[in-house]
Amino acid sequence: NPGGQTRDDSRIPPALSMSDPVLALILVLTFLVALTAASWFKTLEAALWLEARGPLLAGAIAGGILHFAGNAPAIGAVLTLAALYVRLTGRESEPTDGMILGAMTGAAAAIPMIVLDGDRAMLDLASCILAGSVAGYGITFGLSHVRDRVRQLGIDVVTAVVAVGVAALPPFLARTGLPARDAALGVVVLIPLLVVAAVFQQSSTIRAELQHEAALGVLDEEDVRPTAHPLRRLGRGGWYDAEAHREFVRIASKIALRKRQQRGRSAELARLYQLEVIKLRMVLQQMVSVDRAMRVHDEQQQAAR
């Protein structure tokens, strides 16, 4: 200590004076909360934690394995296998949902590594979340958009290679001078923002599918934009009941998803999707009728006053 001076820890902000393992665990919790919020923004329902058991369990097991071989190739390969397990044992979803579950798997995998080897806590956290997100997205894309098994296997291999690459990114940036804490914080912020950005990017596709539904008379043309736009659908959308409108949005979005998923599938699977779409259309039409009746009733009561 030059000059015999002592360090004044009281001047160091609490977040910076924390040990890396403690701060990393706080970032894991913060990340899961942010991921939950981003998932709600995407689906307008708190369904993420209904599916959390599989990703969290797979991630915890993966983290225990990675404690003994926590390099980038191992992180990418193990979390790709974990993402494949989560995808095969969960419900069918779209790639963005796969990314959310994969990121959750990566965050869970980071916890045993942080607790058992705190020296690399921040780098392990960043690498696991990045690799899990890429693995979840790629595996889900292959299983939901590609019918041929050989092509699916090819996509899985490419996914594993990319997962290895992104897992190696935080250590590489640390060697170039980027603080490990900055890398971890950047990843924790980046993934939820990517989920929100994907919602805006998909809104045009959903709007196109719903315009087709409006042309079929399933819903009104005036309901298409408030249902498809990520921000406008959060409100009442001209409906009598705001919660009923959000349920309407959820069902309409599911119709749009099923219509996209049935394309390029086998005839048998496409028929199952079409049956589900028909059932959901009936629910939407009933909801529209009820909402119209409520609005008319409310207008009549106001006129009577």
Side-chain angles (χ1 to χ4, degrees):
N1 187 7
Q5 296 179 351
T6 59
R7 186 180 66 177
D8 185 4
D9 288 337
S10 64
R11 296 183 179 181
I12 302 177
L16 298 180
S17 62
M18 289 182 186
S19 66
D20 278 359
V22 173
L23 182 56
L25 291 175
I26 292 175
L27 287 179
V28 169
L29 179 59
T30 303
F31 176 72
L32 292 177
V33 172
L35 203 61
T36 302
S39 177
W40 184 91
F41 182 76
K42 179 180 183 298
T43 63
L44 297 186
E45 59 182 346
L48 178 62
W49 288 101
L50 298 178
E51 303 179 55
R53 182 181 301 178
L56 293 177
L57 177 61
I61 295 173
I65 296 172
L66 291 172
H67 168 62
F68 300 99
N71 50 48
I75 291 174
V78 171
L79 287 180
T80 299
L81 292 175
L84 182 60
Y85 166 79
V86 171
R87 176 62 182 81
L88 292 176
T89 56
R91 65 175 177 84
E92 184 170 18
S93 58
E94 53 186 333
T96 307
D97 295 323
M99 182 175 72
I100 293 172
L101 296 178
M104 181 178 287
T105 304
I111 294 176
M113 301 175 72
I114 293 169
V115 173
L116 298 175
D117 186 8
D119 293 339
R120 290 177 47 88
M122 292 298 177
L123 294 180
D124 288 339
L125 173 61
S127 294
C128 285
I129 291 179
L130 284 176
S133 301
V134 168
Y137 186 95
I139 293 295
T140 307
F141 180 88
L143 288 175
S144 60
H145 287 74
V146 179
R147 290 176 55 189
D148 184 71
R149 296 294 183 182
V150 176
R151 290 184 61 194
Q152 285 183 359
L153 180 60
I155 291 176
D156 293 346
V157 172
V158 171
T159 297
V161 171
V162 176
V164 169
V166 297
L169 186 59
F172 171 78
L173 293 176
R175 287 193 294 270
T176 64
L178 179 70
R181 291 187 174 190
D182 290 352
L185 182 60
V187 171
V188 167
V189 172
L190 174 64
I191 300 304
L193 288 180
L194 285 179
V195 174
V196 173
V199 175
F200 281 92
Q201 189 273 331
Q202 292 174 352
S203 62
S204 59
T205 303
I206 295 176
R207 184 168 62 249
E209 297 288 359
L210 296 182
Q211 284 174 339
H212 179 255
E213 294 299 306
L216 295 175
V218 176
L219 49 86
D220 295 335
E221 182 68 32
E222 64 184 16
D223 284 327
V224 172
R225 185 170 176 78
T227 301
H229 195 279
L231 296 178
R232 293 188 62 182
R233 65 182 188 166
L234 298 177
R236 189 178 299 273
W239 278 52
Y240 181 83
D241 187 317
E243 182 55 39
H245 177 251
R246 284 192 288 270
E247 180 63 22
F248 178 86
V249 169
R250 287 190 283 265
I251 296 175
S253 299
K254 190 171 185 178
I255 289 177
L257 171 63
R258 290 294 183 246
K259 289 174 68 177
R260 295 199 306 272
Q261 288 177 330
Q262 74 180 13
R263 300 187 182 109
R265 297 302 181 89
S266 64
E268 181 179 357
L269 189 55
R271 281 195 298 270
L272 292 176
Y273 281 142
Q274 186 60 33
L275 287 174
E276 184 176 3
V277 167
I278 291 172
K279 292 178 181 178
L280 293 174
R281 283 171 175 167
M282 295 173 63
V283 174
L284 280 192
Q285 290 175 323
Q286 185 177 12
M287 291 184 69
V288 171
S289 298
V290 171
D291 181 73
R292 287 175 179 171
M294 292 296 294
R295 280 186 284 180
V296 169
H297 178 70
D298 188 56
E299 291 172 359
Q300 289 175 345
Q301 282 189 331
Q302 290 181 357
R305 292 173 186 171

